């Protein structure tokens, strides 16, 4: 398509139309204006030039809107249809925070490709994903969508998603364009409250928060979304430091930019724009090409051009970003992008797709504690499944596109399918909301537990306690669920606790009594089958935590790559030490660490060898780690390599993940895992905010967080 010629034939108003995104309910018959379009006071001509649409429930609806649109658009420019596909389209896989804990970028890619295929069949052209905001505060509900607290993990998993959504060519039938979000540091909102202000140093921003967005850009992401929050006083949508200096000047990003939902209007609510006209100018000048669902561009951009505040060349440039994307999607040749509900229906929840979702749920689950209770024997005769999630299908998670709870497998269904001959009793016992304090259902559950050979206690938080806008100040198990766990485990030690959650929960009040704890996250459509396979040993847990679990909410924000203070607390964690950095009433360490997760087998690390202990700017160090599966069954282990810079011009984290590899080992099998360390891996934002490495000594270890299995040292010489 000759985009320049196309642009040349467009009026200013038509160009501005390309920069506006409306929801599917704005678009009706080509001859008639309906609901929201009417209330916005849009004319048919104005509606005809709109560039993109958020939503559309299936291929039939999207085709219809596209057809009607092409009838009335003088320039015959197809709409792009966009939507959030966060952890699955119709076949739902685990929430992001769980899935990245598989530490398996290929599996993340497999799930993402499946979602892309389903969504593309359903008519979508672009997804608002991946979400790669670094997260350190479990109170924030959106941790559930994220790739966790570590920059390397978030970068690896963000890039894997971009590549899988987009494939080699976004015009191909099974792929979509991706949109990385929310730029930047949305996850650092004060006190874990959604949309809240972010106060952050440039060094922390660059060192920890920016790499994951950059990794997605390097992976070729087609679109970027600035975040709602203000950062150091300036909302991202109008933040020249982020949107111009970093994004364009330093990273040379030349893809499209879309505002978050009504975020341009919100500039007036933040109080950085006096009115919508100023909001339009600020967002536009800072490189926001498309306005999602507010009317600042529609109402004021043309006026700003006529007044000479914004040049028409700048509008042309923004429009070209939108047209180029349409062209790359192949929409000028096929405005429907081969959307086909029949193809979709054949895929949604097909055995192949369910298999991917189940495997992903199994590999995302994290075994947090096990005194040997798990796996249960398949020979059990009587099983009691207890708790509000016992037979709950609403555990697919808060944000699948078209996921249906009634299509999910509950724990009870999963266990029944696995043990068709066992006697299974189900006892909800209580609710899972904060204010559900009724314990009258406990008695039956306790009675059943007493008489059971195995007890599965299914507790957690409801899906709507995490996700957008859902922050919490108490991140324990809501209601009386902790009492349920403690009272059941008191009568039967052959009990395992399954947790369903969108965030790290503070589990101190059940930790001691629970013989085994398996975190399922929100596991998706196949959650119950995955849980059953894990509980009864058909699958071996291998997930690791992508985010630290605090002992108490008061420890938040808490994360493994913290800085070393001048007065670190030494010695037993529980003991308070005056004039050291700690709490009177709680240790500093979390209940569960980033990178932690047990297996039904055991791995022993035998040795770590470095082929040289001196590194210069051109060389590399080959690190070989050898380990053995010392248990009795095959298992998967994530070998994690951490670094500590022993002395540097600015304080460095106590440990940083610099590489990881996941391997499978049969019982008694040994393996060597190799890593390569080069000088760029040692770079950081130094005291002068330069990204460099500094000569000196470094400590290297394998293990996770504060757990060092084997360590060694090397020197960087310059
Ligand atoms: C608001 C959310 O912050 C963003 O992540 C999402 O993509 C948009 N709404 C569109 O649904």
């Amino acid at each position: 398509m000759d985009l320049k010629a196309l642009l040349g034939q467009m009026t200013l108003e038509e160009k501005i139309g390309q920069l506006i995104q409306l929801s599917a309910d704005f678009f009706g018959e080509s001859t008639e204006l309906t609901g929201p379009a009417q209330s916005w006071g849009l004319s048919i001509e104005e509606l005809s030039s709109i560039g993109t649409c958020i939503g559309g429930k299936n291929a039939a609806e999207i085709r219809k809107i596209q057809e009607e649109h092409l009838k009335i658009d003088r320039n015959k420019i197809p709409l792009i249809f966009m939507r959030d596909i966060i952890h699955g389209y119709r076949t739902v896989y685990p929430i992001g925070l769980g899935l990245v804990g598989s530490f398996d970028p290929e599996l993340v890619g497999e799930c993402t490709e499946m979602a892309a295929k389903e969504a593309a069949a359903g008519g979508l052209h672009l997804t608002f994903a991946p979400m790669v905001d670094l997260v350190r505060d479990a109170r924030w509900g959106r941790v559930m969508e994220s790739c966790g607290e570590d920059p390397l993990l978030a970068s690896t998993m963000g890039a894997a998603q971009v590549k899988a959504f987009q494939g080699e060519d976004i015009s191909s039938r099974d792929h979509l364009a991706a949109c990385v979000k929310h730029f930047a540091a949305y996850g650092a909102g004060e006190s874990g409250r959604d949309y809240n202000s972010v106060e952050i140093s440039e060094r922390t921003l660059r060192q920890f928060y920016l790499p994951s967005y950059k990794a997605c850009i390097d992976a070729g992401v087609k679109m970027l979304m600035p975040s709602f929050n203000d950062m150091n006083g300036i909302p991202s949508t109008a933040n020249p430091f982020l949107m111009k200096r970093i994004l364009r000047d330093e990273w040379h990003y030349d893809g499209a930019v879309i505002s978050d939902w009504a975020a341009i209007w919100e500039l007036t609510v933040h109080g950085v724009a006096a009115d919508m006209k100023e909001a339009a100018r600020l967002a536009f000048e800072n490189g926001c090409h498309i306005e999602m669902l507010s009317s600042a561009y529609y109402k004021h951009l043309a006026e700003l051009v006529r007044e000479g505040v914004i040049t028409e060349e700048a509008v042309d440039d923004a429009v070209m970003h939108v047209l180029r994307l349409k062209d790359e999607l192949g929409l000028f040749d096929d405005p429907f992008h081969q959307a086909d509900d029949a193809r979709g229906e054949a895929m949604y929840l097909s055995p192949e797709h369910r298999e991917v979702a189940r495997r992903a749920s199994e590999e995302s689950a994290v075994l947090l504690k096990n005194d040997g209770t798990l796996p249960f024997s398949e020979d059990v005769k009587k099983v009691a499944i207890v708790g509000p999630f016992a037979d709950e299908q609403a555990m697919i998670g808060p944000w699948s596109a078209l996921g249906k709870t009634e299509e999910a497998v509950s724990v009870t269904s999963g266990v029944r399918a696995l043990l068709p001959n066992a006697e299974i009793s189900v006892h909800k016992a209580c609710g899972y909301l904060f204010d559900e304090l009724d314990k009258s259902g406990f008695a039956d559950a306790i009675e059943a537990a007493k008489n059971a050979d195995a007890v599965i206690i299914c507790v957690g938080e409801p899906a709507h306690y995490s996700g957008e806008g859902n922050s919490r100040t108490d991140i324990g198990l809501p209601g009386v669920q902790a009492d349920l766990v403690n009272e059941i485990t008191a009568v039967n030690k052959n009990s395992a606790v399954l947790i369903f959650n969108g965030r790290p929960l503070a589990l101190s009040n059940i930790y001691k009594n629970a013989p085994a704890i398996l975190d399922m996250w929100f596991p998706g459509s196949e959650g119950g089958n995955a849980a059953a396979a894990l509980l009864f040993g058909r699958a071996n847990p291998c997930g690791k935590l992508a985010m630290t679990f605090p002992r108490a909410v008061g420890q938040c924000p808490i994360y493994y790559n913290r800085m070393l203070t001048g007065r670190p607390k030494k010695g037993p964690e529980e003991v308070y030490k005056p004039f050291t950095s700690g709490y009177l009433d709680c240790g500093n360490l979390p209940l569960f660490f980033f990178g932690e997760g047990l297996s039904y087998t055991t791995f022993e690390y035998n040795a770590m060898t470095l082929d040289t202990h001196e590194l210069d700017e051109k060389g590399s160090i080959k690190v070989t780690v050898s380990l053995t599966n010392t248990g009795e069954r095959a298992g998967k282990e994530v070998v994690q390599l951490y670094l500590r810079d022993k002395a540097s011009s600015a304080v460095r984290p106590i440990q940083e993940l610099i590489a990881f590899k996941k391997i499978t080992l049969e019982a008694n099998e040994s393996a060597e895992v190799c890593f390569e360390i080069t000088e760029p891996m040692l770079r950081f934002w130094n005291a002068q905010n330069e990204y460099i490495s500094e000569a000196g000594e470094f400590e290297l270890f394998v293990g996770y967080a504060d757990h060092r299995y084997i360590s060694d040292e090397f020197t960087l010489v310059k």
Side-chain angles (χ1 to χ4, degrees):
M1 168 61 75
D2 184 346
L3 299 180
K4 275 210 176 123
L6 177 60
L7 186 72
Q9 77 186 33
M10 293 165 74
T11 64
L12 178 62
E13 282 69 21
E14 285 169 345
K15 290 175 186 171
I16 291 168
Q18 289 301 311
L19 309 182
I20 294 164
Q21 172 157 105
L22 299 177
S23 57
D25 49 357
F26 274 77
F27 300 89
E29 295 293 325
S30 46
T31 48
E32 199 189 328
L33 286 170
T34 50
Q38 247 174 3
S39 64
W40 271 41
L42 288 172
S43 65
I44 287 276
E45 290 67 44
E46 284 165 335
L47 190 64
S48 74
S49 63
I50 295 301
T52 65
C53 173
I54 178 170
K57 61 177 181 294
N58 52 30
E61 183 184 272
I62 287 172
R63 277 180 170 267
K64 176 107 193 310
I65 295 174
Q66 189 77 290
E67 264 166 24
E68 295 294 321
H69 167 78
L70 291 172
K71 275 189 209 157
I72 56 174
D73 181 10
R74 185 180 76 89
N75 298 302
K76 306 281 171 247
I77 304 174
L79 292 158
I80 308 181
F81 289 84
M82 312 186 184
R83 185 174 189 150
D84 299 274
I85 301 148
I86 306 297
H87 54 109
Y89 180 72
R90 178 78 171 267
T91 311
V92 188
Y93 48 87
I95 56 167
L97 189 57
L99 183 61
V100 303
S102 65
F103 277 72
D104 185 343
E106 275 175 30
L107 178 64
V108 171
E110 221 183 317
C111 290
T112 309
E113 263 171 29
M114 171 174 83
K117 266 190 193 164
E118 292 190 1
L124 296 174
H125 308 141
L126 182 143
T127 169
F128 300 121
M131 187 279 214
V132 293
D133 302 318
L134 198 88
V135 289
R136 293 174 163 183
D137 195 327
R139 291 172 294 180
W140 193 43
R142 298 197 79 169
V143 302
M144 76 95 196
E145 297 165 55
S146 78
C147 297
E149 72 187 35
D150 175 65
L152 175 69
L153 186 65
S155 300
T156 310
M157 298 308 189
Q161 288 178 62
V162 170
K163 288 185 186 143
F165 275 129
Q166 297 190 164
E168 294 287 305
D169 175 4
I170 54 170
S171 75
S172 76
R173 189 186 80 167
D174 292 333
H175 291 98
L176 305 167
C179 170
V180 61
K181 67 190 190 183
H182 310 84
F183 186 66
Y186 183 32
E190 253 176 36
S191 52
R193 231 173 62 204
D194 207 357
Y195 317 121
N196 210 3
S197 302
V198 171
E199 193 67 34
I200 198 168
S201 75
E202 188 174 334
R203 181 177 312 110
T204 299
L205 177 75
R206 288 183 181 276
Q207 186 74 46
F208 300 102
Y209 285 84
L210 293 187
S212 48
Y213 308 108
K214 174 70 163 49
C216 292
I217 289 173
D218 292 344
V221 75
K222 299 292 177 191
M223 187 176 267
L224 172 139
M225 184 189 290
S227 55
F228 280 128
N229 58 282
D230 83 83
M231 194 185 83
N232 302 332
I234 318 289
S236 302
T237 314
N239 189 325
F241 172 73
L242 285 177
M243 302 305 293
K244 286 184 168 167
R245 185 158 143 211
I246 292 187
L247 190 61
R248 309 283 183 191
D249 300 348
E250 294 184 18
W251 294 356
H252 308 293
Y253 175 69
D254 194 31
V257 172
I258 189 164
S259 80
D260 203 340
W261 188 291
I264 300 186
W265 165 70
E266 286 178 21
L267 295 176
T268 66
V269 188
H270 274 289
V272 296
D275 51 30
M276 287 283 266
K277 186 170 170 188
E278 193 178 6
R281 178 180 65 75
L282 283 173
F284 189 82
E285 281 178 354
N286 283 296
C288 186
H289 302 132
I290 303 176
E291 177 174 21
M292 185 195 291
L293 257 320
S294 52
S295 56
Y297 283 8
Y298 152 65
K299 287 198 176 128
H300 299 289
L301 223 45
E303 193 186 339
L304 286 164
V305 173
R306 284 191 201 101
E307 288 170 0
V309 178
I310 285 172
T311 63
E312 187 150 352
E313 290 71 52
V315 173
D316 287 355
D317 178 66
V319 175
M320 279 305 267
H321 278 86
V322 180
L323 295 181
R324 266 203 301 271
L325 187 53
K326 294 184 175 189
D327 198 33
E328 283 182 66
L329 282 161
L331 296 180
F332 291 107
D333 299 323
D334 173 11
F336 308 109
H337 202 258
Q338 301 187 53
D340 178 359
D341 283 326
R343 190 173 83 245
E345 289 300 335
M347 274 188 277
Y348 306 149
L349 298 144
S350 64
E352 295 75 25
H353 283 200
R354 278 198 180 270
E355 191 276 328
V356 175
R358 185 188 42 72
R359 201 157 24 89
S361 308
E362 287 173 6
E363 305 237 348
S364 307
V366 186
L367 184 61
L368 295 172
K369 181 180 176 190
N370 190 15
D371 66 357
T373 299
L374 288 181
F376 291 132
S377 155
E378 284 188 28
D379 298 331
V380 288
K381 302 261 176 314
K382 270 190 175 182
V383 180
I385 310 182
V386 170
F389 281 94
D391 201 15
E392 179 62 277
Q393 289 173 293
M395 42 67 168
I396 57 173
W399 210 352
S400 57
L402 298 189
K404 297 184 180 173
T405 52
E406 64 269 27
E407 291 172 343
V409 179
S410 72
V411 174
T412 296
S413 305
V415 174
R416 284 212 165 109
L418 192 81
L419 304 179
N421 300 321
E423 190 186 314
I424 294 170
S425 66
V426 181
H427 309 267
K428 186 164 181 256
C430 62
Y432 47 39
L433 303 176
F434 292 127
D435 55 357
E436 287 181 316
L437 305 176
D438 180 9
K439 290 167 113 180
S440 55
F442 277 29
D444 272 0
I446 291 170
E447 209 37 47
K450 274 187 195 155
N451 299 317
D453 303 322
V455 187
I456 304 164
I457 311 172
C458 305
V459 291
E461 53 176 3
H464 68 276
Y465 279 12
S466 58
E468 189 179 344
N470 302 321
S471 298
R472 293 179 59 186
T473 61
D474 172 357
I475 57 171
L477 287 169
V480 291
Q481 296 182 92
D483 292 347
L484 180 71
V485 172
N486 290 325
E487 292 183 33
I488 297 280
T489 51
V491 299
N492 191 334
K493 286 288 167 221
N494 210 29
S495 299
V497 182
L498 292 187
I499 310 275
F500 295 86
N501 50 333
R503 58 157 61 72
L505 295 174
L507 299 172
S508 298
N509 56 354
I510 62 158
Y511 178 70
K512 230 173 92 217
N513 294 337
I517 305 177
L518 181 63
D519 191 341
M520 294 300 300
W521 303 103
F522 287 119
S525 315
E526 281 288 301
N529 285 334
L534 290 161
L535 288 166
F536 291 91
R538 296 268 179 112
N540 190 351
C542 60
K544 307 282 178 189
L545 294 182
M547 197 177 172
T548 302
F549 275 45
R551 280 170 198 277
V553 69
Q555 291 179 313
C556 292
I558 182 168
Y559 44 96
Y560 88 94
N561 48 356
R562 66 192 187 280
M563 299 296 180
L564 203 58
T565 73
R567 292 193 173 191
K569 194 170 156 199
K570 290 205 183 100
E573 258 308 305
E574 316 74 55
V575 182
Y576 166 68
K577 289 248 180 56
F579 305 110
T580 63
S581 178
Y583 301 101
L584 278 168
D585 56 350
C586 181
N588 284 357
L589 297 183
L591 192 59
F592 303 112
F593 295 82
F594 171 85
E596 180 167 1
L598 301 165
S599 161
Y600 295 152
T601 187
T602 45
F603 297 97
E604 241 175 69
Y605 284 82
N606 311 315
M608 174 168 76
T609 52
L610 279 58
D611 68 344
T612 164
H613 286 80
E614 216 172 80
L615 179 67
D616 62 24
E617 284 173 348
K618 296 208 177 73
S620 66
I621 299 180
K622 188 175 166 204
V623 181
T624 308
V625 177
S626 69
L627 70 161
T628 305
N629 178 348
T630 48
E632 278 161 16
R633 58 171 76 212
K636 293 185 181 176
E637 169 70 335
V638 181
V639 183
Q640 304 169 47
L641 188 67
Y642 289 85
L643 180 87
R644 182 163 82 89
D645 190 342
K646 289 177 74 177
S648 42
S649 61
V651 180
R652 304 284 298 122
I654 190 163
Q655 63 234 335
E656 283 173 282
L657 183 68
I658 57 162
F660 61 87
K661 273 187 193 157
K662 188 171 183 175
I663 56 163
T664 306
L665 288 180
E666 296 299 324
N668 295 317
E669 195 188 354
S670 297
E672 287 193 339
V673 174
C674 295
F675 299 103
E676 194 184 46
I677 300 179
T678 54
E679 179 274 333
M681 292 163 80
L682 310 181
R683 292 183 194 168
F684 74 112
W685 292 92
N686 73 357
Q688 285 73 41
N689 267 344
E690 303 153 333
Y691 189 62
I692 58 159
S693 61
E694 292 177 351
E697 288 183 356
F698 292 81
E699 189 188 348
L700 201 62
F701 72 94
V702 277
Y704 62 91
D706 291 44
H707 292 251
R708 298 168 184 219
Y709 299 143
I710 308 179
S711 56
D712 203 343
E713 295 190 354
F714 68 89
T715 308
L716 174 67
V717 289
K718 291 215 170 182

